[in-house]
Amino acid sequence: MKKLLFSFCLLGASLGLRAEDGHQLWLRPHPAAPVKVVATAKNSALLATARQELARGWQGPAGATVTLTLRPDKALKPDGFRLGPTSVQAATAAGLLYGAFELLRRQQTGQPVTTEVVNPSYERRLLNHWDNPDGSVERGYAGHSIFWRKDSSFVVTPRDKALWQAYARANASVGLNGSVLNNVNASPLILSAEYLGRARAIADVLRPYGVRVYLAVKFSSPVLLGGLKTADPLDPAVIKWWRGKVQEVYRQIPDFGGLLVKASSEGQPGPQDYGRTHADGANMLADALRPYGGLVMWRAFVYSPSDKDRAKQAYNEFKPLDGKFRDNVIVQVKNGPIDFQPREPFSPLFGALKKTSVMPEFQITQEYLGQAIDLVFLSTMWEECLRSDTYQAGPGSTVARCTDGSVYPQKHTAMAGVSNVGLDPNWTGQDFAQANWYAFGRLAWNNQLPSAQIADEWLKQTFANSAAGPRPATAADWNTNFLAPVTQLLLTSREAAVNYSMPLGLHHIMSATHAHYGPGPWWAPPGMRPDWTPPYYHQADASGVGFDRTTTGSNAVSQYHEPLAAQFNNPATCPDEYLLWFHHLPWDFKMKSGRSLWDELCAHYDLGVHQVRQFQQVWDQAQPYVDAERFAAVQDKLRTQSGNAVVWKDACLLYFQQFSHRPIPATVEPPMHTLEALITNDVQHKDAGPAN
Ligand code: BDP
């Protein structure tokens, strides 16, 4: 063994290798073959980037000539392109850049290049950064903001620029074309001259990569920043203030993309404070942006403690407003009706808003899915949502098709993902969380892409041809012993997380004291808003468990189109995945498997724990194919995840057992913790992230 290690080291040394900190993402430097790029297009920053990328990464025939042709083409959307083995034709310079990246990706991942037309699913493909002006990141697990500084210094350093450039390049390589630079819980400061100046500097660096800048704004900015007495969207002084502010923004950033707004939601100010509707608020901003072609992305994440079922509220507030929004407003809807939980059914707003543009919002940062510890590939979760059939315009009206313009005529289409990027050297904290950034970009570009392909692409670009670490004997060896098992790990990782945390439709039972990491089904301090406590969601008692959203319960089920409403309403036909989302069922309810609900719950938690242990084994066996630094980092995270999965299982089973009064089946690993200890300590998780 010693000898083997030694020879690996020697090989490493002879290749001039260095440790891997993961900073290169999926864009690892390769020895490129010489290539000549001939462009029939006017010179532009985007074209220069395309040329540079081809020269930097060409893996095709040495000495080949690649032609980049700019030409109007009816078959192409603005960012689309026609691809050939050595040619890209597009109607815009951005299309040429995306075509260049596509060529390189195909080369690096061994996918064939035929002559074909490639168009993006969505016009705007955006990251939402929940970054605060002081440099902190809400629900960020990878260090401070890459955009804003803790010391509030507005000096733009060469290091800032290099980082922003690397960030923009990564985005462009997967087709992302927009970044909202600050938190939806927006500070009015973002619209001050200093912050706009820095936003301009960021926009200047992002522009050559086709990434446009957007900002999130606080609805009461006219009061807090402008000194007005009101932020009423129908007040002439307020309208004037926003017009002036928008003009100022465009003076700094001529290609500014638009505004993202969280209003009348979770305590944020909004039009409802003045007796106005979401449409009144959004339209006022839309009118200010219209002369410049800017967009308003108005979030539908709204709920208040007054309603008996939080899951129904967004639909109830927004459905009556369908058709009342300007055509440069897009309503931004989270994938599920509650809040980025490990599994939710799709939000019933998808497909139900037929005369309003709607965009999906996914959460890339793993707030409820293990933060920067757990290895969870979210692509399968997003794919599940995008492929869900809403039936709103007949069978086949999937969430994807209801949002990309295929079903309803939308003037604008978009998809947003809450970013997981921070100042950590590897950008995302956990090395495998990079895969979620990658997957989000790929799905925003092509909402039909299977997760298996995304995983395959990411692994090949991130770990193959590694400049560090021992090399596999042959490609076949690498494919069999690394690519296949690790792809499988990625593809099952989200289901494993659901199993050990919130199986069978359970949701929102995480710990509050640990900033949403780990279990907390018991958490309900006296006086706390019920809809912020887990018991509101799981409703466990002696009679059973689950939230009754059937026609005889909260009736949330009726927000879904038939045949879904009937299917979800009946426990016999409701998919197991959503069972306790829609039903409160007795502990001895007979499941499709023949087991009782209690036994089934136990089996899921236990399975989740075993799946993570299996992931550890897969990763351990991958060691010969991975550089030492990333191998050890991921191994360490998996070890922590594995221990914490046991905590989830023990906590939930012991807690629910108080109501079920049933034994944990002998086939299930017995708890190693006591409920008392788990509750008392609320379990001290290692590296659970900031408690914001
Ligand atoms: C919740 C997060 C909170 C966000 C909110 C949102 O816990 O930090 O502000 O979503 O999306 O899940 O507005």
Side-chain angles (χ1 to χ4, degrees), residues 310-329:
R310 172 173 166 184
K312 288 167 64 179
Q313 294 187 46
Y315 182 98
N316 286 346
E317 280 193 36
F318 279 83
K319 177 71 181 161
L321 297 174
D322 193 15
K324 301 223 159 76
F325 292 93
R326 301 276 192 269
D327 64 6
N328 59 333
V329 175

Side-chain angles (χ1 to χ4, degrees), residues 260-507:
L260 170 63
V261 192
K262 172 177 177 178
S264 297
S265 156
E266 286 192 329
Q268 289 294 335
Q272 293 177 350
D273 300 345
Y274 307 95
R276 314 296 184 195
T277 67
H278 287 290
D280 294 330
N283 291 343
M284 180 271 293
L285 292 174
D287 290 342
L289 287 158
R290 178 176 303 280
Y292 312 94
L295 281 191
V296 173
M297 291 162 293
W298 190 270
R299 294 177 91 226
F301 177 65
V302 295
Y303 66 97
S304 60
S306 54
D307 206 293
K308 288 216 169 57
D309 184 0
R310 172 173 166 184
K312 288 167 64 179
Q313 294 187 46
Y315 182 98
N316 286 346
E317 280 193 36
F318 279 83
K319 177 71 181 161
L321 297 174
D322 193 15
K324 301 223 159 76
F325 292 93
R326 301 276 192 269
D327 64 6
N328 59 333
V329 175
I330 310 194
V331 175
Q332 182 164 319
V333 178
K334 287 190 182 182
N335 55 286
I338 289 192
D339 192 1
F340 295 142
Q341 295 301 294
R343 172 167 276 128
E344 300 191 28
F346 67 87
S347 163
L349 275 172
F350 292 118
L353 296 183
K354 299 177 199 292
K355 291 174 282 179
T356 304
S357 298
V358 171
M359 60 188 281
E361 175 181 332
F362 295 112
Q363 195 181 39
I364 308 172
T365 191
Q366 293 167 241
E367 177 179 358
Y368 303 98
L369 281 131
Q371 303 187 356
I373 298 174
D374 298 11
L375 194 168
V376 185
F377 184 50
L378 299 176
S379 184
T380 50
M381 176 163 95
W382 303 330
E383 187 183 346
E384 180 176 293
C385 174
L386 290 165
R387 291 184 184 210
S388 295
D389 199 342
T390 71
Y391 292 94
Q392 289 284 357
S397 18
T398 59
V399 170
R401 298 187 65 249
C402 286
T403 52
D404 68 8
S406 314
V407 173
Y408 305 121
Q410 294 197 194
K411 174 112 186 269
H412 297 285
T413 60
M415 184 155 130
V418 181
S419 169
N420 58 352
V421 162
L423 278 179
D424 276 7
N426 71 359
W427 302 89
T428 55
Q430 146 74 282
D431 285 286
F432 271 72
Q434 296 176 356
N436 293 329
W437 180 7
Y438 183 88
F440 174 77
R442 297 290 286 134
L443 282 171
W445 179 273
N446 178 357
N447 62 14
Q448 306 295 322
L449 216 55
S451 294
Q453 182 182 331
I454 299 174
D456 178 273
E457 286 178 5
W458 180 76
L459 284 170
K460 283 176 175 162
Q461 293 170 90
T462 306
F463 289 105
N465 312 318
S466 172
R471 278 165 190 258
T474 61
D477 173 35
W478 192 82
N479 284 340
T480 312
N481 295 313
F482 179 84
L483 185 62
V486 182
T487 301
Q488 209 41 42
L489 187 169
L490 281 171
L491 295 178
T492 43
S493 59
R494 183 271 186 141
E495 203 60 48
V498 169
N499 282 330
Y500 64 69
S501 65
M502 307 188 205
L504 298 178
L506 287 173
H507 51 286

Side-chain angles (χ1 to χ4, degrees), residues 107 124 150 158 184 315 336 367 437 452 493 526 586 628 652:
Q107 291 173 351
R124 317 266 175 146
K150 207 176 179 168
V184 286
Y315 182 98
E367 177 179 358
W437 180 7
S493 59
C652 293

